[in-house]
Amino acid sequence: MTILRRLVHGVAPRVLWMLVGLLALLLVAPAVLDTYGLSVLILILYFAYVGQAWNIMMGFAGQLSLGHALYAGLGGYVAAGLFTHYGIGPWAGAFAAAAAAALAGAIVGYLGFRFSLAGVYFALLTIAFGEFTRIAFDHLDWFGASGGLFLKVDVAPNPFDLRGGPLLFYYVILALAAGAFLLCRLLLESRLGRYWLAIREDAEAAQAVGVPVLRYKMLAITVSAALTSLAGVWNAFYYNNLFPETAFGMSRSIEITLAPIIGGLGTLFGPVVGAVVLTGLGEVFTSVGDTLGIPGIKQIFYGIALLVIVMYRPAGVWPWLAARFGATERRQ
Amino acid sequence: MTGARLEIAGIGKSFRGLRAVHDVSFAVPAGAIHALIGPNGAGKTTIFNMIAGVYAPDTGSIALDGHVISGLRPDRVCAAGVGRTFQIVKPFKALSVLENVTVGALHRHRELGDARHSAEGILAQLGLYDRRHQLAESLTLPDRKRLEVARALATEPKLLLLDEVMAGLRPTEVDVMVGFLRELNGKTGLTILLIEHVMRAVMALAAEVVVVSYGEKIAEGTPAEISRHQAVLDVYLGEENAA
């Protein structure tokens, strides 16, 4: 009850109803969407979810990670490995995945924060960890090494093993995205979240008013890593294959950061709006590219579009939209 | 909120061989207001940073009500009951004035609602209540100075360290701040140590003044005594009189 009260505290009824309406729409959407429509919606929710997880670190606590593929990749590999070798389902595997990612986050965080690596230097550290984990996985036979790890697909649909069609994955990622949204709202409206914001704004001033800065930064990276790992688990079971090249690759890390940057760092709706914009643009440019028959045109358009958005809406699309429609959430 | 006694015994600090502070001792009794003055670069802020836990002193010790606080991290020093402001103000720029002070209040009030309530009371005392929803970055310098004080007070300290909070204020604003601090001290018995260049404020507030020059204490006494002290006149007030 208190949790529920805290969730809705200070939220305009109009916004609440809009959110409930949106959730209801998303719940019934598969009934009206075709396979293509559903796959696009799945992508949007996936990016909204990982974006939300990454935003905890960058948007809330102000720590730039450009190596979040590390946590998604670890999550995917741990759950897929347990399932492939021991038949342990991903619902249980998710806990192991989250624990592994949280541990990895704690190691990266401790090295970076304890020794006061700030800004780009910390970002370089996160990239380094992602990259050498990728190289390590190229040689770990238990995880299929560079040849890849493949999940069994010729089995009967079983939600408990996350074996099934797009519909199953749609509802799982919807639950994750909605859950992460609510969790982030709760975190922000608590001492923990306020301390993160204070650290983001000025760590020295935060410490002077009693914030144990190292501990709260460590919390940010472990929570963010654990949440990101669940996206990795989902991803592994959705695509049924894992390669170190893609799972831990730099482009995966960058991809994770895009929705919150485009949508609005440090806001709850930013990652969601950013995911809609990015996926929408991606799909449009793919079809344009297909129509024109020019390979690679999608990437060029996509890059230009991102450039334009970042140039003209540096604070993100959501704060601008919110101001236009008179909503009140500004960058927290 | 009651005051605590601050006792500084023979503290020293060097940076890469450069002696910033050497063998400084003084005490501030519980509930008193003392000032720390001296020319630029004398080591005043370094002394503050040692009290606040930013640096551990190389030698000597610092105690609050008999408990040694030197060597503790800044957040632990805050928990021990020391609030401080920064000479170069450090507001949480993208947060509102109220949220800035709320972060300070969260130190003693775990619930966000309670902390906010406490923060509102402090903002009202400092005349910032009407600006509570403004972003901190939109405040003028005098208001930012006030915000520094408000945020430090929100942690409910027993000792308040004020680093040049009068600098940049107009004389009338100085008088308002002086009045506020005196009232706060009178009502709560909070111990205050201030670094200040604005003599008007030092004379009006401080019961005793400690003068440092080149990292060493050169004089200590009431404002009246200090203003007649030859060594002080030479290194500090002399300069100002000549200017």
Side-chain angles (χ1 to χ4, degrees):
Chain A
M1 190 57 216
T2 49
I3 286 181
L4 197 64
R5 196 176 300 144
R6 183 174 294 182
L7 264 179
V8 301
H9 178 80
V11 181
R14 187 170 55 102
V15 176
L16 270 184
W17 285 117
M18 269 166 57
L19 282 173
V20 171
L22 179 66
L23 185 64
L25 265 177
L26 286 169
L27 282 171
V28 300
V32 291
L33 286 174
D34 58 4
T35 320
Y36 170 73
L38 194 63
S39 73
V40 172
L41 211 48
I42 284 174
L43 264 185
I44 289 175
L45 290 170
Y46 168 78
F47 283 119
Y49 175 76
V50 281
Q52 204 73 260
W54 180 80
N55 198 35
I56 290 176
M57 247 188 100
M58 180 61 193
F60 296 172
Q63 307 303 313
L64 175 59
S65 167
L66 292 178
H68 254 48
L70 170 62
Y71 314 121
L74 271 181
Y77 265 109
V78 167
L82 288 174
F83 182 61
T84 310
H85 294 295
Y86 303 125
I88 298 171
W91 297 104
F95 287 96
L103 180 66
I107 292 169
V108 174
Y110 192 78
L111 285 174
F113 304 144
R114 179 67 187 76
F115 299 103
S116 307
L117 286 181
V120 291
Y121 299 102
F122 177 71
L124 283 176
L125 183 77
T126 63
I127 293 174
F129 268 85
E131 286 297 289
F132 73 62
T133 309
R134 174 178 66 79
I135 294 162
F137 271 72
D138 268 337
H139 303 283
L140 291 176
D141 291 330
W142 200 77
F143 289 114
S146 54
L149 184 63
F150 300 88
L151 282 87
K152 282 187 275 257
V153 286
D154 53 346
V155 291
N158 178 0
F160 297 104
D161 281 345
L162 214 53
R163 303 284 71 196
L167 203 60
L168 171 66
F169 286 93
Y170 173 77
Y171 281 113
V172 172
I173 197 68
L174 175 58
L176 281 174
F181 183 91
L182 296 178
L183 177 69
C184 285
R185 162 87 188 158
L186 275 181
L187 288 175
L188 263 191
E189 290 303 308
S190 73
R191 191 188 205 214
L192 176 61
R194 296 291 143 164
Y195 275 5
W196 280 341
L197 300 182
I199 290 169
R200 181 191 73 194
E201 293 300 312
D202 194 316
E204 198 185 348
Q207 194 157 29
V209 291
V211 180
V213 171
L214 178 64
R215 190 192 309 162
Y216 278 83
K217 281 182 178 175
M218 291 296 286
L219 275 169
I221 194 169
T222 46
V223 170
S224 178
L227 289 176
T228 305
S229 76
L230 300 186
V233 176
W234 178 90
N235 214 16
F237 282 75
Y238 184 50
Y239 291 106
N240 297 309
N241 59 62
L242 278 157
F243 298 95
E245 227 36 66
T246 46
F248 296 108
M250 195 61 218
S251 57
R252 172 68 46 89
S253 285
I254 298 294
E255 195 177 83
I256 290 172
T257 70
L258 289 180
I261 290 176
I262 296 295
L265 279 176
T267 65
L268 289 172
F269 287 96
V272 182
V273 172
V276 172
V277 172
L278 285 169
T279 313
L281 285 175
E283 292 307 313
V284 168
F285 292 140
T286 302
S287 64
V288 169
D290 289 349
T291 318
L292 295 175
I294 309 169
I297 196 92
K298 176 200 168 181
Q299 275 72 17
I300 293 172
F301 278 148
Y302 195 68
I304 292 172
L306 294 192
L307 208 64
V308 169
I309 295 173
V310 172
M311 275 175 66
Y312 289 96
R313 297 284 164 250
V317 175
W318 166 249
W320 169 71
L321 273 182
R324 279 191 73 113
F325 293 110
T328 49
E329 193 198 4
R330 63 164 171 248
R331 183 172 192 239
Q332 284 288 340
Chain B
M1 240 195 262
T2 49
R5 172 184 169 82
L6 173 71
E7 186 131 20
I8 294 178
I11 56 168
K13 179 79 193 168
S14 298
F15 297 103
R16 301 184 185 193
L18 187 75
R19 208 173 70 179
V21 173
H22 178 67
D23 195 24
V24 168
S25 301
F26 64 90
V28 187
I33 302 181
H34 283 196
L36 187 59
I37 68 170
N40 286 325
K44 303 182 297 292
T45 295
T46 304
I47 292 173
F48 258 35
N49 278 334
M50 282 191 274
I51 302 172
V54 177
Y55 311 127
D58 297 335
T59 60
S61 71
I62 301 164
L64 193 70
D65 269 350
H67 301 285
V68 174
I69 56 166
S70 44
L72 296 180
R73 282 198 324 250
D75 52 296
R76 295 282 167 79
V77 174
C78 174
V82 178
R84 61 105 32 117
T85 67
F86 291 91
Q87 183 186 357
I88 297 161
V89 293
K90 287 174 166 290
F92 304 131
K93 284 187 191 159
L95 305 189
S96 71
V97 168
L98 177 60
E99 293 303 313
N100 265 265
V101 182
T102 300
V103 171
L106 278 167
H107 187 62
R108 308 277 178 205
H109 307 269
R110 300 192 139 259
E111 283 301 317
L112 199 55
D114 299 343
R116 229 175 238 148
H117 186 71
S118 161
E120 282 171 346
I122 291 165
L123 285 172
Q125 290 177 48
L126 276 151
L128 282 171
Y129 187 76
D130 293 339
R131 306 214 165 96
R132 66 191 183 282
H133 294 308
Q134 254 176 263
L135 290 188
E137 65 186 351
S138 71
L139 291 182
T140 58
L141 184 67
D143 281 343
R144 286 185 190 204
K145 296 263 179 189
R146 268 180 222 139
L147 179 60
E148 284 280 314
V149 177
R151 193 175 58 189
L153 278 179
T155 65
E156 298 178 14
K158 297 176 196 154
L159 165 68
L160 184 61
L161 304 174
L162 301 174
D163 198 347
E164 294 200 32
V165 288
M166 314 281 178
L169 301 194
R170 284 191 291 268
T172 50
E173 292 167 338
V174 168
D175 292 342
V176 170
M177 185 63 101
V178 164
F180 168 74
L181 292 175
R182 192 184 274 150
E183 196 189 319
L184 180 76
N185 172 259
K187 261 200 287 195
T188 64
L190 175 69
T191 311
I192 299 176
L193 178 62
L194 49 129
I195 292 178
E196 203 50 73
H197 281 303
V198 179
M199 281 306 133
R200 182 191 181 91
V202 173
M203 296 296 168
L205 276 174
E208 285 202 33
V209 180
V210 173
V211 189
V212 288
S213 177
Y214 292 106
E216 298 190 39
K217 185 173 89 175
I218 58 164
E220 186 173 12
T222 63
E225 285 162 10
I226 289 299
S227 60
R228 290 191 304 268
H229 197 288
Q230 196 50 49
V232 177
L233 293 176
D234 288 348
V235 305
Y236 186 74
L237 296 176
E239 268 181 6
E240 207 163 67
N241 289 345

